[in-house]
Structures are given as structure tokens and as C-alpha cells.
Amino acid sequence: MLLEIKSLSASYGSIKALFDVNIEVAEGELVTLVGANGAGKTTIMKVISGIQRASGGSVEFAGKNITRLAAEKRVRLGISQVPEGRQLFTPMSVHDNLCLGAFTRNDANTKCDLDEIYEQFPILFERKDQPAGTLSGGEQQMVAIGRALMARPKLLLLDEPSMGLSPLLVDQTFATIKKLAKQGTTIFLVEQNAYMALSIADRGYVLEGGHTTISGTGDELMSDERVKNAYLGV
Amino acid sequence: MSAQFLQFLFSGITVGAIYALVGVGFSVIYNSSNVINFAQGEFVMIGGMATVFLSAAGVPLPLAIILAVLAAVIIGYLVEKLAIEPAKGSSVVNLIIITIGVSIFLRGLAQVVFDRNFHSLKAFSGTEPIQIAGASITTQSLWVIGGLVIATLVLGWFFNRTLTGKAMLATSYNKDAAKLVGINTGRILQLSFMIAAFLGAVSGILIAPIALTYANVGVMLGLKGFCAAMVGGLGNPMAAIAGGLLVGVAEALTAGYLSSAYKDAVAFIIILLVLFFMPSGLFGRKEVDKV
């Protein structure tokens, strides 16, 4: 397993946000976690990337226990997160945002090779000297994904990539995610848009009240009555 | 332009350059932590006092300057390591109060290590003033202004061209995102204290031949530097430079045309006006954020 989360818990002060969360992601897989607003999806992401501390359980990455490792060190191990709400360095240029994504690579300063990113997202090439904050929501999402990819991650964490985007842009963003998965990137995707997420995922988990309840392949979950009723609106 | 006005302008720019260098130190630390470091003036004092005492002990001036700056940078590092880092996670107000404690401690320490007297440093290249359009400017003023110009160019290069500089800016814009691209934000804070100490010490050394230096010299210079940073817009190092020059020139003109008794009030009147009418400073960071 590339990522293995075992009976993980986390809290904000005295409020328990997560308990007994169990998730596995194998290399090359696209795994999604769906759940309602406030179920703790973003907290799980923050615990995996190290922004939020776990209060119990363990997070293992490529066989190494990283539960107590600092966030910046996890990036060096190969975990890259596209945070909720994109979190760009808004006053800095698109180019600088992308280059900072390669911060942990030793060749970052001399060789900020953006060709691959610009090939993936041609519009960003046109915007490369603009402050990232002046881009449209969809373009900003591309910058956020591009920035995360610049670290050449083994595992890409995507937190609510569809948030705040128009339906057309949501389709585009999911097409990009699908393409990245096809190219072999291991992806762990957290989404409120359960239908979209499950339709492209190899496997999925459902998070309810801070706790993983149902799991299965994307198709299994899409045809599961409980999931249908609660999250797919059918 | 009358010779008198030019004379006031020269002295204003000189002292403004010092405020600017101190102000940049405030901005750099604020950027990486949102903390106002009230021990900033003490870096100025350490630079000036250490140079005075080293050169009095027979160390050649250039070497004394290098050693004094080095000492200040090491102290800057230690302040972060021993006083700020252990309080990591505390509120910004607590951290600011810690820096006030550090400031008092360093002043006390200086009175023990150095002494309680006033000292003057020999001007770097003689005391013969240069005449320009009827006004005279000392060569030491040129050193001060040159120091500011070089510091501005180097800082501009550092923040816009180097990866470490960009990482510092990125940390100030979004700390969590900075961590997520692998930037060690704790290391960035250490670096910002060292840069602030460096700038403070350099300004303390440059001004020592013009104004006297003593263990408490950092109090007023620190406050003026704080004004410079606030007037320009906290968090923008280049704006602090403009703010410093503005405060310095305003001070010199007031002292010249009105009365030198009002000199120190000027900086604080400017700061009040700026805060009333342009709370984010004259060149405050413009938010370009689209959701």
C-alpha cells in the first residue's frame, strides 16, 4: 500500500472531528472519499498532508510511519496536496506559483521545467506573468493542480477540486483528474460531488460523522442503496 | 530650491535611510510571522556598540564592522531560537510581548557587556563635508545613503530572483500553502530574524559616526523604524524604505522650519494620519483575490 490510514482520529480542541478512519490507497489507484459537508473530509486531507495533527491512529506512506512528521518533510517523501479553496500565492505570478511547487526538488532553482505543466494546461502559459489571484476560478484550480504536480508527487491529494466552479469547469477539472490518473499518478480525491467523484474512481469510501462507514469500488458504491439515497440524490 | 531647504533635505534623507533599514527589518519579520519585533532597535544598538568597542580594542574598522554585524546576526538567530520558537503556537500578542522582553533584556545585557556611556565612532572617510549648491553634506551621510541603495538592490534581487526569497514571500502570503509545497516555515522565520538583525546592525554602524550610540539608542530608532514600516504599509519591505525616507525628511523639515522640539512628534503624527486615512499604509499590499 502506498497510503495506509489506520483507526485515525483527530480533534479541534475538545471537539472530535475524526474517529476510527481507515483508508488504503494502492499505487496507481484513483481513490475517492465522499461525504456531506462537515463530515471531516478536509480534516482527513490535512492530517495526511501534516497541516493538522492526528490525535490517534497512524498514517503510513510507502511503508513509513509519518503520523508525526512535519508537513514540509512529507512533501519531500512524495505527498503533494491541492488544498481546498486552492490556496495560491495570489499576489505572485502564475510562473512563480508553479516554480514554488518544485521547491523540494534539488534542481528547482536552475531548472523550473514548466513545459509539461503548460502542455497539460495551455491557458496557464498565456497567463504565466499575471498575478495568480487575477485568474478565473477554473484557471486558479489549474494552477493549484500544476503547482502540486511540480513536486513530482507519488501521491496527489485533491481536496474539493470542484468547489466554486461552474458546471462546465467542473467537467473540465474532472477530465484533467481522469487524465492524470491514466498517466499513472496515484490520486486520493475528496469530493462533495459524490456522483462525479465515484464515476471516475477505482474505489471509494464514504465518510459520515467523522467515521468511514462504507467502502467499495466506484461502481459498487454508485449502486449501493444507502449511498444513492444519501449522496447521489436518486 | 534654497540652500537651506537642500540642507534639511540632506539630513532628512540621511536619518530617513536609517529608519528605512530598521523598518525593512520590521517588515521582513512581520511577513513571516505577523509579529512586530520590538527588539529590532536593539540590533541597531548591538551593531553600533560592538563596532565602537571592537575598534577601541584595536581591531581595524572594516574587521570590527564585519564582526559586529556577524554578532548581531547570531544574536538575531538566538532570539528566534530561544525566545520565539519555544513559544510557537502562542498568539501573536504573546509573541510581541516576548519581543518586548527580549528588547529589555538585550539593553540590560549591553549595559553590562559594554557600558552606560555615550560613544561616537570615527567617520569612515574623514569629516570634510562636500558642498552641493550651497548646502553641505558629510561623507558619512553618503555612506548611509549608499548603504540604503545597496540594501534596496540586494533585497529586490533576493525577493524577486532567488528561490529562498520567493519562499519567504510565499510564506507571508499563505503559510499553510507554503508548508504544502515543502517550505520549512520555521526556517523562514529564523532567516527573517537574521536578515532583520543584519539590516539593523548595518544601520547602527552607519549612523554611529553621525549620532551618538549607547545602550538605549535602539529604543527611539526602533520606534522610528516601526513608523517607517507602518507608514509604508507593514509587510512590504520596499514600502518601508519609502516610509522611512518620508518620516526622516518630514522630521528634518519640521526641526528646521518649526522647532527641533517637535522633531520626534512628527513621526508619530504621520503614523496617526496614515492609520486614520489609509490604514494599510501608503503602499499597503493590494489584495488581488478572486473567489
Side-chain angles (χ1 to χ4, degrees):
Chain A
M1 281 301 145
L2 188 61
L3 179 74
E4 206 164 352
I5 298 173
K6 285 185 207 149
S7 54
L8 183 82
S9 59
S11 29
Y12 294 99
S14 60
I15 302 159
K16 268 207 146 179
L18 300 175
F19 69 98
D20 198 23
V21 170
N22 295 283
I23 293 168
E24 288 183 341
V25 181
E27 211 168 321
E29 263 190 318
L30 168 52
V31 175
T32 187
L33 176 74
V34 298
N37 231 343
K41 302 191 297 295
T42 292
T43 309
I44 290 185
M45 278 309 204
K46 285 183 173 168
V47 171
I48 300 174
S49 62
I51 294 291
Q52 165 86 21
R53 280 176 61 104
S55 52
S58 68
V59 180
E60 279 178 30
F61 182 72
K64 195 172 177 252
N65 188 331
I66 59 162
T67 319
R68 300 265 169 269
L69 200 67
E72 63 269 12
K73 292 192 178 133
R74 299 185 194 199
V75 183
R76 285 178 199 275
L77 288 180
I79 301 179
S80 214
Q81 189 190 352
V82 180
E84 185 181 10
R86 304 178 278 272
Q87 311 295 338
L88 299 180
F89 306 118
T90 46
M92 302 176 91
S93 70
V94 168
H95 177 268
D96 281 353
N97 269 274
L98 293 172
C99 284
L100 280 165
F103 185 81
T104 52
R105 280 164 49 192
N106 295 326
D107 57 353
N109 209 9
T110 46
K111 241 181 90 189
C112 182
D113 50 345
L114 295 168
D115 297 353
E116 279 172 48
I117 303 295
Y118 288 146
E119 206 172 297
Q120 196 93 260
F121 309 109
I123 186 74
L124 296 188
F125 182 73
E126 286 170 39
R127 303 257 190 267
K128 66 183 165 63
D129 296 319
Q130 263 176 254
T134 62
L135 269 56
S136 75
E139 289 163 354
Q140 288 194 19
Q141 190 64 57
M142 292 177 199
V143 178
I145 295 176
R147 183 179 67 184
L149 289 175
M150 283 300 287
R152 302 235 173 96
K154 296 194 183 93
L155 172 66
L156 182 66
L157 305 173
L158 291 161
D159 193 356
E160 301 274 6
S162 75
M163 196 178 76
L165 299 185
S166 70
L168 182 69
L169 286 174
V170 171
D171 287 346
Q172 273 179 25
T173 306
F174 274 92
T176 306
I177 296 169
K178 219 169 149 180
K179 198 163 102 190
L180 289 172
K182 254 202 191 114
Q183 289 163 359
T185 315
T186 310
I187 297 174
F188 182 57
L189 166 70
V190 153
E191 254 300 334
Q192 208 171 309
N193 189 334
Y195 180 77
M196 288 294 274
L198 289 173
S199 63
I200 63 166
D202 297 319
R203 287 189 307 112
Y205 293 86
V206 175
L207 188 73
E208 281 176 312
H211 173 63
T212 39
T213 50
I214 315 166
S215 71
T217 67
D219 292 336
E220 274 168 21
L221 288 179
M222 291 237 283
S223 52
D224 186 293
E225 284 304 321
R226 292 166 295 175
V227 177
K228 269 188 185 170
N229 288 334
Y231 303 106
L232 299 178
V234 274
Chain B
M1 219 180 337
S2 76
Q4 196 188 31
F5 177 78
L6 202 61
Q7 188 67 55
F8 296 149
L9 196 65
F10 285 158
S11 77
I13 290 175
T14 304
V15 68
I18 295 295
Y19 298 163
L21 287 170
V22 180
V24 173
F26 275 102
S27 260
V28 168
I29 290 179
Y30 177 83
N31 261 348
S32 21
S33 62
N34 288 329
V35 167
I36 312 285
N37 169 34
F38 279 107
Q40 185 63 24
E42 276 52 59
F43 296 142
V44 180
M45 176 271 292
I46 291 165
M49 289 293 268
T51 307
V52 165
F53 274 78
L54 283 169
S55 62
V59 180
L61 189 63
L63 185 63
I65 290 174
I66 292 170
L67 289 175
V69 171
L70 207 63
V73 170
I74 292 170
I75 290 170
Y77 169 79
L78 290 175
V79 166
E80 198 283 332
K81 194 81 190 163
L82 302 178
I84 303 296
E85 206 175 292
K88 198 167 66 177
S90 306
S91 74
V92 167
V93 175
N94 288 353
L95 292 173
I96 291 174
I97 291 169
I98 289 175
T99 70
I100 295 174
V102 168
S103 154
I104 295 169
F105 171 76
L106 288 176
R107 265 182 273 153
L109 194 68
Q111 295 183 359
V112 176
V113 174
F114 304 120
D115 60 16
R116 294 156 169 269
N117 299 327
F118 289 79
H119 298 276
S120 175
L121 195 62
K122 205 162 60 80
F124 296 176
S125 36
T127 47
E128 195 60 42
I130 296 165
Q131 301 294 328
I132 300 172
S136 66
I137 185 165
T138 64
T139 52
Q140 191 61 33
S141 285
L142 297 178
W143 275 101
V144 172
I145 295 164
L148 177 69
V149 170
I150 292 170
T152 309
L153 293 175
V154 171
L155 284 169
W157 168 80
F158 176 71
F159 284 117
N160 293 316
R161 293 275 171 270
T162 70
L163 189 66
T164 311
K166 285 179 184 175
M168 265 184 121
L169 281 181
T171 304
S172 77
Y173 295 137
N174 194 324
K175 204 168 183 176
D176 276 351
K179 286 182 189 165
L180 289 178
V181 297
I183 295 168
N184 184 336
T185 52
R187 198 63 59 72
I188 294 288
L189 184 56
Q190 277 168 12
L191 186 62
S192 70
F193 266 85
M194 290 161 81
I195 292 175
F198 176 86
L199 293 169
V202 166
S203 61
I205 294 164
L206 289 171
I207 197 73
I210 298 173
L212 299 173
T213 187
Y214 52 103
N216 288 337
V217 72
V219 178
M220 200 38 112
L221 281 175
L223 282 175
K224 297 288 177 59
F226 174 64
C227 289
M230 288 297 288
V231 167
L234 254 183
N236 181 342
M238 293 303 160
I241 293 173
L245 291 173
L246 187 80
V247 170
V249 169
E251 240 184 50
L253 293 180
T254 312
Y257 288 116
L258 286 172
S259 155
S260 58
Y262 296 130
K263 190 181 73 129
D264 285 334
V266 171
F268 301 107
I269 291 171
I270 292 178
I271 212 176
L272 285 178
L273 290 176
V274 167
L275 289 179
F276 276 133
F277 298 109
M278 300 178 84
S280 57
L282 294 178
F283 314 97
R285 185 184 287 166
K286 285 188 190 70
E287 288 296 333
V288 275
D289 221 349
K290 215 180 199 175
V291 184

